[in-house]
């Protein structure tokens, strides 16, 4: 089990200053000093694999606290109540969670359910007047994503997408280097995301619930990564699909897609997402004056990387612990993260995904306007 002490030990092993934590303190300083400022009180919706990981990691967060749950399974609610000391009045199911609007002890809901459910659930949370953190992909197409952004605007609540890599120290060091011009003019990005998926009956293999296949689940890392690594928005995509097992990967559930993105400054990206290739989790960025590589790039860690200057040795952190603290600072203090995580960011990725699926169908270059 992940404990606060483990987390601090990992952090203090590396006294590195990163200018992205609440109030611009270093990671080490923030996690080693007592904190008595405002705390974001969060309810998790969807107590599955990733919800459990976030709940565990949040035990080490200082600005975010798990205080409530929303689940369709009463036995899970009971387990979480005893594990995390969650009071009965902060427990909801999928039918009654609109009542959360009357609960002054919950500030935000973190939606961690199958992709296709996010749209309706986020809109309901917004209507209940609570801030929303929504897992990636935020929806199954850009139109739905845009509706979620508008619903949150109308309700005057914040909408953030669970892009945990946007707070990961190795990733941010490369973004810093690129912004500082240390890589020179950016010319190429490669993003590879793949693993062999198991059980064909899981929701990830059901188009109705997943919205697609590997692209929706992990291709989004390469798409999103290409944007913050290159530092521009793509203007075109091309894409090709390969399906070796149509029995397992039904119509609309992509097994493997290779795709290319073109950027206004002339850089190109070459990416791949697959549910049938293992050990594929690598980012590579190159420019006229240098390069950066992350391998693994987006797993739960440790993330490893190197650049033309040598190995990266940023602190190894529990991604979701730092993510929740940063998101609390964004929601409570209006903090601007180095790489945005708002709903509009999520919609941009969905526009690219829509264009990739269109390019697979048309076999042509699809233009993009983000
Ligand atoms: P999971 O299958 O482990 O959990 C899904 C949860 O949703 C379960 O508790 C399930 O009971 C509940 N649920 C509610 N309605 C459901 C329905 N109609 N059908 C099926 N399940 C239903 O999945 P997960 O891995 O926790 O993924 C949930 C979300 O989190 C997805 O959007 C996924 O993309 C995202 N995720 C993000 C990361 C990340 O690193 N950011 C990692 C894993 C998953």
């Amino acid at each position: 089990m992940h404990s606060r002490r483990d987390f601090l030990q990992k952090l203090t092993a590396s006294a590195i200053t990163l200018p992205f934590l609440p109030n611009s303190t270093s990671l080490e300083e923030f996690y080693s000093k007592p904190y008595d400022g405002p705390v974001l009180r969060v309810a998790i919706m969807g107590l599955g694999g990733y919800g459990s990981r976030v709940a565990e990691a949040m035990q080490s967060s200082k600005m975010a606290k798990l205080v409530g749950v929303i689940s369709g399974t009463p036995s899970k609610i009971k387990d979480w109540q005893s594990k995390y000391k969650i009071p009965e009045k902060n427990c909801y199911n999928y039918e009654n969670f609109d009542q959360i609007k009357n609960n002054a002890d919950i500030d935000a809901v973190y939606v961690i359910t199958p992709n296709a459910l996010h749209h309706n659930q986020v809109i309901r949370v917004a209507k209940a007047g609570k801030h929303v953190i929504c897992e990636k992909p935020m929806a199954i197409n850009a139109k739905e994503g845009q509706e979620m952004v508008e619903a949150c605007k109308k309700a005057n609540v914040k909408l953030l997408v669970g892009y945990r890599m946007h707070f990961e120290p190795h990733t941010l060091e490369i973004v810093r280097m690129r912004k500082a011009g240390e890589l020179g003019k950016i010319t190429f990005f490669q993003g590879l995301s793949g693993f062999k998926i198991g059980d064909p009956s899981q929701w990830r293999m059901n188009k109705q619930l997943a919205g697609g296949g590997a692209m929706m689940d992990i291709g989004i890392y390469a798409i999103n990564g290409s944007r913050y690594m290159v530092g521009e928005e793509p203007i075109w995509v091309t894409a090709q699909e390969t399906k070796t097992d149509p029995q397992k990967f039904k119509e609309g559930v992509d097994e493997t897609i290779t795709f290319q993105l073109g950027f206004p400054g002339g850089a190109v990206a070459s990416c791949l997402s697959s549910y049938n290739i293992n050990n594929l989790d690598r980012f590579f960025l190159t420019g006229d004056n240098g390069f950066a590589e992350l391998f693994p790039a987006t797993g739960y860690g440790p993330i490893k990387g190197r650049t033309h200057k040598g190995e990266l040795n940023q602190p190894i952190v529990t991604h979701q612990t730092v993510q929740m603290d940063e998101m609390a600072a964004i929601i409570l203090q209006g903090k601007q993260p180095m790489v945005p995580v708002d709903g509009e960011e999520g919609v941009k990725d969905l526009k690219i995904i829509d264009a990739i699926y269109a390019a697979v169908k048309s076999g042509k270059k699809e233009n993009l306007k983000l």
Side-chain angles (χ1 to χ4, degrees):
M1 198 181 88
H2 171 78
S3 73
R4 175 171 288 228
R5 202 203 279 148
D6 287 345
F7 184 63
L8 290 175
Q9 278 172 354
K10 277 181 213 151
L11 280 170
T12 47
S14 167
I16 281 187
T17 305
L18 285 163
F20 66 97
L21 272 155
N23 307 321
S24 291
T25 53
S26 71
L27 266 176
E28 183 195 25
E29 205 184 333
F30 179 70
Y31 286 105
S32 59
K33 278 190 181 160
Y35 173 80
D36 61 1
V39 168
L40 186 77
R41 298 160 305 170
V42 180
I44 290 187
M45 180 186 299
L47 313 184
Y50 196 62
S52 303
R53 183 177 286 272
V54 170
E56 206 53 41
M58 222 195 293
Q59 302 311 302
S60 302
S61 297
K62 296 172 79 172
M63 289 186 75
K65 187 172 162 31
L66 174 65
V67 299
V69 290
I70 299 146
S71 167
T73 315
S75 60
K76 278 196 213 165
I77 295 183
K78 283 273 160 278
D79 289 350
W80 280 52
Q81 275 193 273
S82 61
K83 196 167 178 192
Y84 299 117
K85 313 222 171 346
I86 294 170
E88 190 70 30
K89 69 173 188 58
N90 288 359
C91 299
Y92 297 86
N93 59 41
Y94 292 108
E95 282 73 48
N96 70 11
F97 76 79
D98 309 86
Q99 294 311 317
I100 214 162
K101 68 170 181 283
N102 301 319
N103 192 329
D105 297 331
I106 295 174
D107 304 309
V109 174
Y110 194 160
V111 175
I112 318 186
T113 54
N115 309 340
L117 308 180
H118 298 171
H119 175 251
N120 177 267
Q121 290 166 341
V122 166
I123 291 173
R124 282 174 66 188
V125 172
K127 284 186 176 158
K130 302 296 175 183
H131 299 296
V132 205
I133 303 171
C134 176
E135 254 320 311
K136 45 59 55 180
M138 72 183 273
I140 57 170
N141 56 53
K143 181 180 169 287
E144 288 195 352
Q146 190 57 40
E147 287 167 3
M148 292 154 74
V149 166
E150 276 154 27
C152 290
K153 258 194 204 142
K154 194 170 167 201
N156 203 20
V157 296
K158 292 220 164 88
L159 169 59
L160 306 182
V161 184
Y163 289 132
R164 63 188 158 78
M165 303 318 296
H166 292 206
F167 308 105
E168 195 283 315
H170 299 74
T171 305
L172 290 182
E173 172 59 8
I174 297 176
V175 173
R176 186 204 63 72
M177 287 176 73
R178 187 258 303 151
K179 282 188 172 173
E182 292 174 28
L183 274 59
K185 181 178 155 51
I186 298 300
T187 49
F188 179 71
F189 172 78
Q190 184 187 44
L192 309 173
S193 310
F195 71 95
K196 271 188 197 271
I197 199 159
D199 179 11
S201 69
Q202 62 185 290
W203 68 260
R204 281 184 168 79
M205 300 289 276
N206 173 348
K207 178 166 164 66
Q208 250 57 49
L209 284 169
M215 176 59 58
M216 280 288 171
D217 193 27
I218 50 174
I220 192 165
Y221 285 103
I223 291 169
N224 185 246
S226 75
R227 297 177 44 240
Y228 60 70
M229 285 290 172
V230 174
E232 293 177 15
E233 302 299 0
I235 49 175
W236 57 257
V237 302
T238 46
Q240 309 78 34
E241 180 172 9
T242 318
K243 197 170 273 198
T244 63
D245 189 346
Q247 281 292 102
K248 184 170 179 180
F249 301 96
K250 303 271 186 292
E251 181 66 31
V253 179
D254 47 287
E255 177 188 322
T256 300
I257 293 181
T258 47
F259 57 100
Q260 303 77 37
L261 308 168
F263 294 85
V268 286
S270 173
C271 304
L272 186 149
S273 77
S274 179
Y275 266 165
N276 210 6
I277 303 178
N278 266 345
N279 303 311
L280 207 55
D281 181 18
R282 181 174 179 266
F283 280 6
F284 179 74
L285 180 72
T286 193
D288 285 345
N289 300 340
F291 71 89
E293 180 191 53
L294 290 174
F295 183 51
T298 65
Y300 297 137
I303 300 300
K304 291 193 176 138
R306 65 193 177 112
T307 73
H308 58 290
K309 294 182 174 167
E311 296 292 316
L312 290 173
N313 63 353
Q314 271 58 38
I316 306 296
V317 301
T318 301
H319 298 172
Q320 299 82 3
T321 304
V322 178
Q323 174 201 326
M324 292 311 296
D325 278 322
E326 285 284 353
M327 289 191 163
I330 292 168
I331 291 172
L332 298 173
Q333 301 174 343
K335 186 167 190 268
Q336 295 294 320
M338 199 170 180
V339 184
V341 285
D342 50 46
E344 282 85 353
E345 276 297 298
V347 173
K348 286 179 184 171
D349 289 333
L350 289 172
K351 282 185 178 168
I352 300 173
I353 291 180
D354 287 350
I356 287 171
Y357 283 137
V360 163
K361 268 205 183 121
S362 69
K364 292 188 182 140
K365 187 186 263 192
E366 297 285 332
N367 291 322
L368 273 167
K369 203 164 170 1
L370 298 188

